[in-house]
Amino acid sequence: MARPHVMVVPYPVQGHVIPLMELSLYLVKHGIKITFVNTKDNHERILSSFPSGNDSLSQICLVWISDGLESSEERKKPGKSSEAVLRVMPEKVEELIECINGSESEKITCVLADQSIGWALDIAEKKGIQRAAFCPAAAAQLVLGLSIPKLIENGIIDKDGTPLEKQVIQLSPTIPSVSTEDLVWVCVGNQIAQKHIFQLMMKNIKSMKITEWLLCNSTYELEPAALSLAPEIIPIGPLLSSNQLGYSAGNFWSQDLTCLKWLDQQSPCSVIYVAFGSFTTFNPTQFQELCLGLELSNRPFLWVVQPDITEGTKYAYPEGFEERVAKHGRMVGWAPQQKILSHSSVACFISHCGWNSTMESVSNGIPILCWPCFADQFLNRSYICDVWKVGLGLERDGSGIITQSEIISKIEKLFNDEHVKARAADLKEKVQTSTGQGGLSNSNLDSFISWIKNIK
Protein backbone atom coordinates (compact mmCIF):
# COMPACT_ATOMS: atom_id res chain seq x y z
CA MET A 1 0.00 0.00 0.00
CA ALA A 2 1.35 3.43 -0.99
CA ARG A 3 2.35 5.83 1.75
CA PRO A 4 0.42 9.05 2.20
CA HIS A 5 2.30 11.71 0.23
CA VAL A 6 2.17 15.36 1.35
CA MET A 7 3.47 18.22 -0.78
CA VAL A 8 4.57 21.08 1.50
CA VAL A 9 4.67 24.60 0.03
CA PRO A 10 6.04 27.41 2.25
CA TYR A 11 6.10 31.13 1.56
CA PRO A 12 9.72 31.51 0.36
CA VAL A 13 11.33 33.30 3.32
CA GLN A 14 13.22 31.73 6.22
CA GLY A 15 10.70 32.56 8.96
CA HIS A 16 8.04 30.62 7.04
CA VAL A 17 10.27 27.78 5.83
CA ILE A 18 11.63 26.80 9.28
CA PRO A 19 8.35 25.86 11.05
CA LEU A 20 7.03 24.00 7.99
CA MET A 21 10.33 22.12 7.75
CA GLU A 22 10.03 21.24 11.44
CA LEU A 23 6.48 20.01 10.90
CA SER A 24 7.60 18.03 7.85
CA LEU A 25 10.33 16.26 9.79
CA TYR A 26 7.76 15.35 12.43
CA LEU A 27 5.40 13.92 9.78
CA VAL A 28 8.24 11.89 8.24
CA LYS A 29 8.80 10.27 11.66
CA HIS A 30 5.24 8.93 11.37
CA GLY A 31 5.76 7.26 8.00
CA ILE A 32 4.45 10.04 5.76
CA LYS A 33 6.26 10.88 2.53
CA ILE A 34 7.07 14.59 2.18
CA THR A 35 7.91 16.56 -0.94
CA PHE A 36 9.11 19.99 0.23
CA VAL A 37 8.95 22.76 -2.37
CA ASN A 38 11.40 25.65 -2.22
CA THR A 39 12.55 28.25 -4.68
CA LYS A 40 15.92 27.36 -6.20
CA ASP A 41 17.80 29.98 -4.18
CA ASN A 42 16.30 28.84 -0.86
CA HIS A 43 16.76 25.17 -1.77
CA GLU A 44 20.48 25.68 -2.32
CA ARG A 45 20.87 27.73 0.87
CA ILE A 46 19.25 25.04 3.02
CA LEU A 47 21.40 22.28 1.55
CA SER A 48 24.64 24.25 1.95
CA SER A 49 23.91 25.34 5.53
CA PHE A 50 22.77 21.99 6.94
CA PRO A 51 25.39 20.37 9.23
CA SER A 52 27.53 17.74 7.57
CA GLY A 53 27.01 14.25 8.91
CA ASN A 54 23.33 14.84 9.63
CA ASP A 55 21.24 12.93 7.11
CA SER A 56 17.79 13.96 8.36
CA LEU A 57 17.04 16.02 5.25
CA SER A 58 17.52 12.87 3.17
CA GLN A 59 14.21 11.65 4.63
CA ILE A 60 12.43 14.48 2.79
CA CYS A 61 12.20 14.87 -0.97
CA LEU A 62 13.54 18.40 -1.43
CA VAL A 63 12.61 19.96 -4.76
CA TRP A 64 12.78 23.46 -6.17
CA ILE A 65 10.84 25.63 -8.58
CA SER A 66 11.77 28.88 -10.28
CA ASP A 67 10.59 32.16 -8.77
CA GLY A 68 11.28 34.02 -12.01
CA LEU A 69 13.90 36.26 -10.37
CA GLU A 70 17.41 36.47 -11.75
CA SER A 71 19.53 37.50 -8.77
CA SER A 72 19.77 37.63 -4.99
CA GLU A 73 19.54 41.41 -5.22
CA GLU A 74 16.12 41.13 -6.87
CA ARG A 75 14.98 38.76 -4.13
CA LYS A 76 15.84 41.35 -1.48
CA LYS A 77 13.43 43.82 -3.07
CA PRO A 78 10.01 43.30 -1.42
CA GLY A 79 8.12 44.38 -4.55
CA LYS A 80 9.92 41.86 -6.76
CA SER A 81 9.75 38.93 -4.35
CA SER A 82 6.08 39.41 -3.51
CA GLU A 83 5.23 39.67 -7.21
CA ALA A 84 7.04 36.38 -7.84
CA VAL A 85 4.96 34.68 -5.12
CA LEU A 86 1.76 36.04 -6.63
CA ARG A 87 2.43 35.78 -10.38
CA VAL A 88 5.16 33.20 -11.08
CA MET A 89 5.14 30.47 -8.45
CA PRO A 90 1.51 29.24 -8.83
CA GLU A 91 2.11 28.02 -12.38
CA LYS A 92 5.33 26.28 -11.34
CA VAL A 93 3.68 24.50 -8.40
CA GLU A 94 0.82 23.30 -10.61
CA GLU A 95 3.31 21.95 -13.16
CA LEU A 96 5.16 20.11 -10.39
CA ILE A 97 1.97 18.46 -9.10
CA GLU A 98 1.09 17.33 -12.63
CA CYS A 99 4.59 15.95 -13.14
CA ILE A 100 4.59 13.95 -9.88
CA ASN A 101 1.04 12.63 -10.21
CA GLY A 102 1.58 11.78 -13.85
CA SER A 103 4.62 9.64 -13.06
CA GLU A 104 5.13 6.19 -11.59
CA SER A 105 5.92 7.59 -8.12
CA GLU A 106 3.54 7.77 -5.16
CA LYS A 107 0.75 10.23 -5.91
CA ILE A 108 0.36 13.40 -3.85
CA THR A 109 -2.55 12.84 -1.48
CA CYS A 110 -2.44 16.17 0.36
CA VAL A 111 -1.08 19.67 -0.18
CA LEU A 112 0.06 21.36 3.04
CA ALA A 113 0.55 25.02 2.18
CA ASP A 114 1.57 28.15 4.01
CA GLN A 115 -1.63 30.02 4.81
CA SER A 116 -0.18 33.15 3.22
CA ILE A 117 -0.16 31.53 -0.23
CA GLY A 118 -3.73 30.32 -0.53
CA TRP A 119 -3.33 29.86 -4.28
CA ALA A 120 -1.57 26.54 -3.52
CA LEU A 121 -4.78 25.32 -1.86
CA ASP A 122 -6.81 26.48 -4.85
CA ILE A 123 -4.56 24.44 -7.16
CA ALA A 124 -4.95 21.38 -4.92
CA GLU A 125 -8.74 21.72 -4.98
CA LYS A 126 -8.69 21.95 -8.77
CA LYS A 127 -6.60 18.75 -8.91
CA GLY A 128 -8.89 16.91 -6.50
CA ILE A 129 -6.22 16.75 -3.77
CA GLN A 130 -6.94 17.12 -0.05
CA ARG A 131 -5.79 20.37 1.55
CA ALA A 132 -4.35 21.72 4.79
CA ALA A 133 -3.17 25.24 5.53
CA PHE A 134 -0.53 26.21 8.07
CA CYS A 135 -0.08 29.62 9.69
CA PRO A 136 3.50 30.24 10.90
CA ALA A 137 2.41 33.41 12.72
CA ALA A 138 0.18 34.09 15.72
CA ALA A 139 -3.43 32.98 15.59
CA ALA A 140 -4.34 36.60 16.37
CA GLN A 141 -2.53 37.71 13.21
CA LEU A 142 -4.50 35.17 11.18
CA VAL A 143 -7.76 36.33 12.76
CA LEU A 144 -6.84 39.90 11.87
CA GLY A 145 -6.22 38.91 8.25
CA LEU A 146 -9.53 37.06 8.05
CA SER A 147 -11.21 40.22 9.41
CA ILE A 148 -10.16 42.38 6.44
CA PRO A 149 -13.69 42.49 4.92
CA LYS A 150 -15.03 43.72 8.26
CA LEU A 151 -12.29 46.36 8.48
CA ILE A 152 -13.31 47.61 5.02
CA GLU A 153 -17.00 47.52 5.92
CA ASN A 154 -16.37 49.50 9.11
CA GLY A 155 -14.40 52.17 7.28
CA ILE A 156 -11.08 51.41 8.97
CA ILE A 157 -9.27 50.64 5.68
CA ASP A 158 -10.23 51.19 2.05
CA LYS A 159 -10.65 48.41 -0.53
CA ASP A 160 -6.91 48.58 -1.31
CA GLY A 161 -5.96 48.09 2.36
CA THR A 162 -4.95 51.68 3.05
CA PRO A 163 -5.93 52.92 6.54
CA LEU A 164 -8.40 55.80 6.33
CA GLU A 165 -7.01 57.24 9.56
CA LYS A 166 -4.57 56.24 12.26
CA GLN A 167 -6.31 54.30 15.00
CA VAL A 168 -5.85 51.27 17.24
CA ILE A 169 -7.66 48.02 16.35
CA GLN A 170 -8.60 45.42 18.97
CA LEU A 171 -10.81 42.57 17.79
CA SER A 172 -11.70 41.55 21.36
CA PRO A 173 -10.73 42.80 24.84
CA THR A 174 -8.14 40.07 25.37
CA ILE A 175 -6.59 40.04 21.88
CA PRO A 176 -3.55 42.32 21.42
CA SER A 177 -4.25 45.71 19.93
CA VAL A 178 -2.46 46.93 16.80
CA SER A 179 -2.23 50.36 15.22
CA THR A 180 -3.49 50.72 11.65
CA GLU A 181 -0.03 51.98 10.66
CA ASP A 182 1.42 48.66 11.90
CA LEU A 183 -0.95 46.37 9.96
CA VAL A 184 1.15 43.63 8.37
CA TRP A 185 0.45 44.69 4.77
CA VAL A 186 0.99 48.38 5.56
CA CYS A 187 4.47 48.18 7.08
CA VAL A 188 6.20 45.73 4.72
CA GLY A 189 8.47 47.09 2.01
CA ASN A 190 7.41 49.62 -0.59
CA GLN A 191 3.98 50.39 -2.02
CA ILE A 192 4.28 47.69 -4.70
CA ALA A 193 5.06 45.04 -2.07
CA GLN A 194 2.22 46.29 0.13
CA LYS A 195 -0.20 46.02 -2.79
CA HIS A 196 0.87 42.46 -3.63
CA ILE A 197 0.73 41.28 -0.02
CA PHE A 198 -2.75 42.78 0.45
CA GLN A 199 -3.91 41.06 -2.75
CA LEU A 200 -2.56 37.77 -1.44
CA MET A 201 -4.33 38.24 1.89
CA MET A 202 -7.65 39.03 0.19
CA LYS A 203 -7.39 35.88 -1.94
CA ASN A 204 -6.38 33.84 1.10
CA ILE A 205 -9.67 34.61 2.83
CA LYS A 206 -11.48 32.67 0.10
CA SER A 207 -8.85 29.91 0.04
CA MET A 208 -9.20 29.29 3.77
CA LYS A 209 -12.83 28.30 3.23
CA ILE A 210 -11.86 25.30 1.08
CA THR A 211 -9.23 23.79 3.34
CA GLU A 212 -9.93 20.81 5.57
CA TRP A 213 -7.40 21.92 8.19
CA LEU A 214 -6.27 25.38 9.26
CA LEU A 215 -3.26 24.75 11.49
CA CYS A 216 -1.36 27.30 13.54
CA ASN A 217 2.09 27.35 15.16
CA SER A 218 0.64 28.37 18.51
CA THR A 219 -1.11 26.92 21.51
CA TYR A 220 -4.36 27.58 23.34
CA GLU A 221 -2.46 28.49 26.51
CA LEU A 222 -0.86 31.43 24.69
CA GLU A 223 -3.84 32.64 22.62
CA PRO A 224 -7.14 31.55 24.17
CA ALA A 225 -9.04 34.66 23.00
CA ALA A 226 -7.96 34.48 19.35
CA LEU A 227 -8.54 30.73 19.14
CA SER A 228 -11.98 31.07 20.76
CA LEU A 229 -12.87 33.81 18.29
CA ALA A 230 -11.89 31.57 15.35
CA PRO A 231 -12.39 27.94 16.44
CA GLU A 232 -11.57 26.72 12.92
CA ILE A 233 -7.90 27.47 13.71
CA ILE A 234 -6.23 24.37 15.16
CA PRO A 235 -3.13 25.02 17.29
CA ILE A 236 -0.32 22.45 17.01
CA GLY A 237 2.60 24.47 18.36
CA PRO A 238 4.98 25.67 19.31
CA LEU A 239 6.83 23.53 16.76
CA LEU A 240 10.40 23.33 17.98
CA SER A 241 12.38 20.64 16.22
CA SER A 242 15.23 20.83 18.72
CA ASN A 243 12.80 19.56 21.36
CA GLN A 244 11.22 16.83 19.24
CA LEU A 245 14.03 15.78 16.94
CA GLY A 246 17.29 16.99 18.42
CA TYR A 247 18.25 19.54 15.73
CA SER A 248 16.83 22.50 13.86
CA ALA A 249 16.28 22.60 10.11
CA GLY A 250 15.45 25.05 7.36
CA ASN A 251 18.12 27.65 8.13
CA PHE A 252 19.50 29.61 5.18
CA TRP A 253 22.90 30.22 6.81
CA SER A 254 25.46 28.00 8.51
CA GLN A 255 25.25 28.22 12.29
CA ASP A 256 28.28 29.14 14.39
CA LEU A 257 28.25 26.33 16.94
CA THR A 258 31.37 27.59 18.75
CA CYS A 259 29.23 30.17 20.56
CA LEU A 260 27.72 27.32 22.59
CA LYS A 261 31.15 26.65 24.14
CA TRP A 262 31.42 30.36 24.92
CA LEU A 263 28.02 30.20 26.66
CA ASP A 264 29.25 27.26 28.72
CA GLN A 265 31.89 29.56 30.22
CA GLN A 266 29.39 32.22 31.36
CA SER A 267 27.59 32.43 34.69
CA PRO A 268 23.99 31.17 34.94
CA CYS A 269 21.33 33.71 33.87
CA SER A 270 23.93 36.35 32.94
CA VAL A 271 23.99 36.62 29.13
CA ILE A 272 22.01 38.98 26.91
CA TYR A 273 21.21 37.24 23.62
CA VAL A 274 20.67 39.65 20.70
CA ALA A 275 19.21 38.65 17.33
CA PHE A 276 16.94 40.32 14.79
CA GLY A 277 16.04 37.60 12.30
CA SER A 278 17.00 37.49 8.65
CA PHE A 279 15.43 40.71 7.32
CA THR A 280 16.07 43.49 9.85
CA THR A 281 18.53 46.22 8.90
CA PHE A 282 19.67 49.33 10.79
CA ASN A 283 20.91 52.71 9.69
CA PRO A 284 24.52 53.40 10.82
CA THR A 285 23.40 55.65 13.71
CA GLN A 286 21.10 52.99 15.14
CA PHE A 287 23.76 50.32 14.74
CA GLN A 288 26.27 52.43 16.70
CA GLU A 289 23.76 53.09 19.49
CA LEU A 290 23.06 49.37 19.82
CA CYS A 291 26.78 48.61 20.00
CA LEU A 292 27.35 51.19 22.72
CA GLY A 293 24.25 50.14 24.65
CA LEU A 294 25.47 46.55 24.79
CA GLU A 295 29.01 47.60 25.70
CA LEU A 296 27.98 50.00 28.46
CA SER A 297 25.54 47.51 29.99
CA ASN A 298 28.66 45.79 31.36
CA ARG A 299 27.00 42.43 30.95
CA PRO A 300 28.04 39.48 28.78
CA PHE A 301 26.23 39.40 25.43
CA LEU A 302 25.97 37.14 22.40
CA TRP A 303 24.95 39.04 19.27
CA VAL A 304 24.00 37.68 15.84
CA VAL A 305 25.38 40.23 13.36
CA GLN A 306 24.80 39.49 9.68
CA PRO A 307 27.03 41.18 7.07
CA ASP A 308 24.13 43.24 5.65
CA ILE A 309 22.63 44.30 9.00
CA THR A 310 23.25 48.00 8.19
CA GLU A 311 21.53 49.74 5.30
CA GLY A 312 23.52 50.28 2.11
CA THR A 313 26.95 49.61 3.60
CA LYS A 314 28.92 46.99 5.50
CA TYR A 315 28.43 47.43 9.23
CA ALA A 316 31.08 49.41 11.10
CA TYR A 317 31.53 48.96 14.84
CA PRO A 318 32.46 52.04 16.89
CA GLU A 319 36.23 52.56 16.98
CA GLY A 320 37.82 50.13 19.41
CA PHE A 321 34.49 48.40 20.18
CA GLU A 322 35.60 44.86 19.36
CA GLU A 323 38.72 45.17 21.52
CA ARG A 324 36.81 46.67 24.46
CA VAL A 325 34.12 43.94 24.51
CA ALA A 326 36.43 41.03 23.69
CA LYS A 327 36.20 39.59 27.21
CA HIS A 328 32.44 39.76 27.65
CA GLY A 329 30.93 40.09 24.16
CA ARG A 330 30.64 37.61 21.31
CA MET A 331 29.47 38.44 17.77
CA VAL A 332 28.55 35.68 15.30
CA GLY A 333 27.14 35.62 11.76
CA TRP A 334 24.34 33.11 12.46
CA ALA A 335 23.56 31.05 15.52
CA PRO A 336 21.72 27.90 16.72
CA GLN A 337 19.00 30.00 18.35
CA GLN A 338 16.93 27.22 19.86
CA LYS A 339 19.98 25.81 21.64
CA ILE A 340 21.03 29.27 22.81
CA LEU A 341 17.64 30.12 24.30
CA SER A 342 17.58 26.83 26.19
CA HIS A 343 21.07 27.42 27.62
CA SER A 344 21.30 28.05 31.36
CA SER A 345 23.55 31.12 30.99
CA VAL A 346 21.03 33.13 28.92
CA ALA A 347 19.03 35.70 30.93
CA CYS A 348 17.15 37.70 28.31
CA PHE A 349 16.61 38.11 24.58
CA ILE A 350 16.74 41.41 22.65
CA SER A 351 14.50 40.43 19.75
CA HIS A 352 12.70 41.76 16.68
CA CYS A 353 9.68 39.75 17.92
CA GLY A 354 9.29 37.48 14.92
CA TRP A 355 6.85 34.71 15.81
CA ASN A 356 9.44 31.91 15.60
CA SER A 357 11.78 33.81 17.93
CA THR A 358 8.88 34.62 20.24
CA MET A 359 7.83 30.96 20.45
CA GLU A 360 11.40 29.82 21.07
CA SER A 361 11.86 32.37 23.83
CA VAL A 362 8.51 31.69 25.53
CA SER A 363 9.09 27.94 25.34
CA ASN A 364 12.32 28.37 27.26
CA GLY A 365 11.08 30.90 29.82
CA ILE A 366 13.37 33.70 28.57
CA PRO A 367 12.16 37.31 29.11
CA ILE A 368 12.25 39.50 25.99
CA LEU A 369 13.29 43.08 25.25
CA CYS A 370 11.12 43.95 22.26
CA TRP A 371 12.49 45.75 19.19
CA PRO A 372 9.84 45.16 16.45
CA CYS A 373 10.53 46.50 12.97
CA PHE A 374 7.76 45.44 10.56
CA ALA A 375 4.98 42.99 9.65
CA ASP A 376 3.44 41.01 12.53
CA GLN A 377 6.23 41.92 14.96
CA PHE A 378 4.22 44.80 16.48
CA LEU A 379 1.31 42.53 17.34
CA ASN A 380 3.74 40.01 18.84
CA ARG A 381 5.25 42.78 20.98
CA SER A 382 1.78 43.53 22.29
CA TYR A 383 1.41 39.88 23.32
CA ILE A 384 4.82 39.89 25.05
CA CYS A 385 4.47 43.21 26.89
CA ASP A 386 0.73 43.69 27.41
CA VAL A 387 -0.92 40.24 27.49
CA TRP A 388 1.65 37.71 28.71
CA LYS A 389 3.78 40.39 30.43
CA VAL A 390 7.03 38.48 29.93
CA GLY A 391 9.03 41.36 28.46
CA LEU A 392 9.53 45.08 28.01
CA GLY A 393 9.36 47.31 24.95
CA LEU A 394 12.30 49.42 23.78
CA GLU A 395 11.04 52.92 22.95
CA ARG A 396 12.33 55.19 20.17
CA ASP A 397 13.25 58.83 20.71
CA GLY A 398 11.94 61.76 18.67
CA SER A 399 14.32 60.88 15.83
CA GLY A 400 13.12 57.29 15.67
CA ILE A 401 16.27 55.93 17.34
CA ILE A 402 16.46 53.47 20.23
CA THR A 403 19.27 55.12 22.14
CA GLN A 404 22.08 53.50 24.11
CA SER A 405 20.65 54.93 27.32
CA GLU A 406 17.24 53.37 26.59
CA ILE A 407 18.90 50.01 25.90
CA ILE A 408 20.95 50.14 29.12
CA SER A 409 17.94 51.24 31.19
CA LYS A 410 15.64 48.49 29.91
CA ILE A 411 18.32 45.81 30.30
CA GLU A 412 18.75 46.75 33.96
CA LYS A 413 15.01 46.92 34.52
CA LEU A 414 14.43 43.48 32.99
CA PHE A 415 17.32 41.87 34.89
CA ASN A 416 15.87 43.13 38.17
CA ASP A 417 12.17 42.40 37.50
CA GLU A 418 11.41 39.18 39.36
CA HIS A 419 7.72 39.36 38.37
CA VAL A 420 8.56 39.20 34.65
CA LYS A 421 10.93 36.28 35.26
CA ALA A 422 8.25 34.42 37.25
CA ARG A 423 5.62 34.93 34.54
CA ALA A 424 8.08 33.76 31.87
CA ALA A 425 8.78 30.58 33.87
CA ASP A 426 5.06 29.98 34.36
CA LEU A 427 4.34 30.42 30.65
CA LYS A 428 7.13 27.99 29.79
CA GLU A 429 5.50 25.35 31.98
CA LYS A 430 2.08 25.88 30.36
CA VAL A 431 3.52 25.62 26.86
CA GLN A 432 5.41 22.44 27.71
CA THR A 433 2.21 20.91 29.09
CA SER A 434 0.36 21.66 25.83
CA THR A 435 3.08 20.21 23.60
CA GLY A 436 3.74 17.21 25.84
CA GLN A 437 1.98 13.85 25.66
CA GLY A 438 -1.75 14.36 26.18
CA GLY A 439 -1.52 18.15 25.80
CA LEU A 440 -3.92 19.94 23.45
CA SER A 441 -1.35 20.91 20.80
CA ASN A 442 0.11 17.40 20.86
CA SER A 443 -3.36 15.83 20.54
CA ASN A 444 -4.26 18.13 17.64
CA LEU A 445 -1.06 17.16 15.84
CA ASP A 446 -1.82 13.47 16.36
CA SER A 447 -5.33 13.99 14.94
CA PHE A 448 -3.89 15.73 11.88
CA ILE A 449 -1.46 12.86 11.27
CA SER A 450 -4.28 10.34 11.60
CA TRP A 451 -6.33 12.28 9.05
CA ILE A 452 -3.44 12.29 6.57
CA LYS A 453 -3.01 8.53 6.91
CA ASN A 454 -6.70 7.91 6.25
CA ILE A 455 -6.98 9.97 3.05
CA LYS A 456 -8.35 7.73 0.33
Side-chain angles (χ1 to χ4, degrees):
M1 182 178 176
R3 289 179 296 170
H5 184 181
V6 178
M7 173 180 277
V8 180
V9 191
Y11 190 95
V13 296
Q14 182 174 251
H16 290 242
V17 169
I18 285 176
L20 269 171
M21 182 69 78
E22 291 172 338
L23 177 55
S24 296
L25 287 167
Y26 193 75
L27 297 179
V28 163
K29 267 186 66 176
H30 288 79
I32 296 167
K33 180 177 180 179
I34 299 291
T35 294
F36 199 97
V37 184
N38 273 308
T39 59
K40 184 179 181 181
D41 188 58
N42 290 352
H43 174 84
E44 291 173 347
R45 283 182 171 196
I46 289 170
L47 290 180
S48 64
S49 67
F50 207 71
S52 59
N54 192 325
D55 65 349
S56 58
L57 284 186
S58 64
Q59 302 172 52
I60 295 177
C61 179
L62 296 171
V63 300
W64 62 266
I65 58 173
S66 172
D67 58 8
L69 301 177
E70 297 181 359
S71 68
S72 296
E73 291 305 311
E74 275 195 303
R75 291 182 184 93
K76 291 179 182 178
K77 298 176 180 177
K80 286 286 187 180
S81 59
S82 58
E83 183 177 14
V85 171
L86 192 62
R87 313 289 184 206
V88 179
M89 289 178 61
E91 179 184 350
K92 301 300 181 182
V93 167
E94 185 165 1
E95 289 174 356
L96 181 60
I97 291 174
E98 291 172 351
C99 178
I100 293 173
N101 281 1
S103 69
E104 296 296 320
S105 63
E106 294 160 306
K107 303 293 187 285
I108 296 166
T109 55
C110 175
V111 168
L112 171 58
D114 195 306
Q115 174 273 328
S116 59
I117 49 172
W119 49 257
L121 303 170
D122 298 336
I123 292 170
E125 184 194 34
K126 186 169 75 171
K127 301 294 182 184
I129 300 170
Q130 297 295 302
R131 302 159 295 285
F134 174 80
C135 176
Q141 182 61 51
L142 180 53
V143 172
L144 188 60
L146 296 174
S147 301
I148 286 175
K150 187 179 292 185
L151 299 181
I152 295 173
E153 181 184 333
N154 293 341
I156 295 172
I157 60 174
D158 65 19
K159 60 182 178 59
D160 297 316
T162 304
L164 298 178
E165 62 176 313
K166 181 181 176 180
Q167 59 180 295
V168 174
I169 301 170
Q170 190 165 26
L171 299 177
S172 86
T174 48
I175 288 182
S177 59
V178 62
S179 170
T180 50
E181 63 182 3
D182 293 333
L183 291 169
V184 65
W185 62 89
V186 173
C187 60
V188 175
N190 54 31
Q191 287 186 334
I192 296 173
Q194 292 167 12
K195 177 183 176 183
H196 290 152
I197 289 170
F198 187 72
Q199 287 177 354
L200 271 173
M201 294 184 74
M202 287 293 286
K203 290 184 177 180
N204 291 343
I205 294 170
K206 297 178 181 178
S207 302
M208 292 307 99
K209 294 177 180 178
I210 61 165
T211 183
E212 282 83 357
W213 289 79
L214 181 50
L215 306 169
C216 186
N217 188 24
S218 187
T219 178
Y220 191 83
E221 282 71 15
L222 293 175
E223 301 192 81
L227 292 165
S228 295
L229 201 61
E232 68 272 22
I233 301 174
I234 308 299
I236 59 168
L239 290 164
L240 302 175
S241 61
S242 63
N243 292 344
Q244 295 179 335
L245 303 164
Y247 46 81
S248 59
N251 284 287
F252 290 2
W253 295 275
S254 296
Q255 300 173 343
D256 185 340
L257 300 178
T258 63
C259 64
L260 296 174
K261 294 180 180 178
W262 180 85
L263 283 175
D264 290 340
Q265 300 166 8
Q266 309 307 313
S267 301
C269 298
S270 66
V271 176
I272 304 162
Y273 174 56
V274 189
F276 297 95
S278 55
F279 275 103
T280 304
T281 58
F282 299 118
N283 64 48
T285 300
Q286 181 63 87
F287 185 76
Q288 299 268 319
E289 289 293 307
L290 175 54
C291 290
L292 295 172
L294 291 173
E295 177 187 352
L296 297 174
S297 74
N298 292 317
R299 294 183 181 275
F301 65 87
L302 173 60
W303 183 11
V304 178
V305 189
Q306 290 191 273
D308 57 354
I309 197 170
T310 52
E311 297 167 351
T313 181
K314 190 180 187 300
Y315 59 85
Y317 294 118
E319 186 175 353
F321 171 79
E322 292 177 274
E323 292 77 12
R324 293 193 302 271
V325 303
K327 290 185 178 180
H328 69 277
R330 180 72 182 265
M331 287 80 76
V332 296
W334 199 247
Q337 183 161 289
Q338 293 183 28
K339 292 185 181 297
I340 289 168
L341 289 171
S342 64
H343 198 283
S344 60
S345 69
V346 174
C348 73
F349 182 12
I350 299 180
S351 172
H352 65 309
C353 304
W355 189 248
N356 289 334
S357 292
T358 300
M359 289 298 92
E360 290 164 4
S361 196
V362 166
S363 297
N364 287 289
I366 302 297
I368 306 171
L369 282 176
C370 300
W371 190 319
C373 300
F374 60 89
D376 63 331
Q377 296 164 12
F378 297 99
L379 182 142
N380 300 340
R381 176 188 60 185
S382 184
Y383 258 139
I384 293 163
C385 298
D386 306 327
V387 179
W388 306 329
K389 299 181 180 178
V390 295
L392 302 172
L394 290 159
E395 303 299 332
R396 300 178 186 274
D397 67 7
S399 302
I401 297 294
I402 295 176
T403 64
Q404 56 184 280
S405 60
E406 168 70 1
I407 294 167
I408 296 165
S409 171
K410 289 293 172 64
I411 286 173
E412 287 305 306
K413 187 174 181 180
L414 193 61
F415 264 80
N416 293 304
D417 195 326
E418 297 301 324
H419 296 294
V420 168
K421 295 177 186 177
R423 284 191 291 268
D426 181 60
L427 208 56
K428 171 186 176 180
E429 187 176 334
K430 289 179 178 177
V431 168
Q432 288 181 339
T433 298
S434 184
T435 55
Q437 195 66 36
L440 183 57
S441 283
N442 184 271
S443 297
N444 288 339
L445 188 50
D446 286 345
S447 295
F448 176 58
I449 291 169
S450 177
W451 173 79
I452 291 173
K453 290 183 175 181
N454 285 291
I455 293 174
K456 302 300 181 184

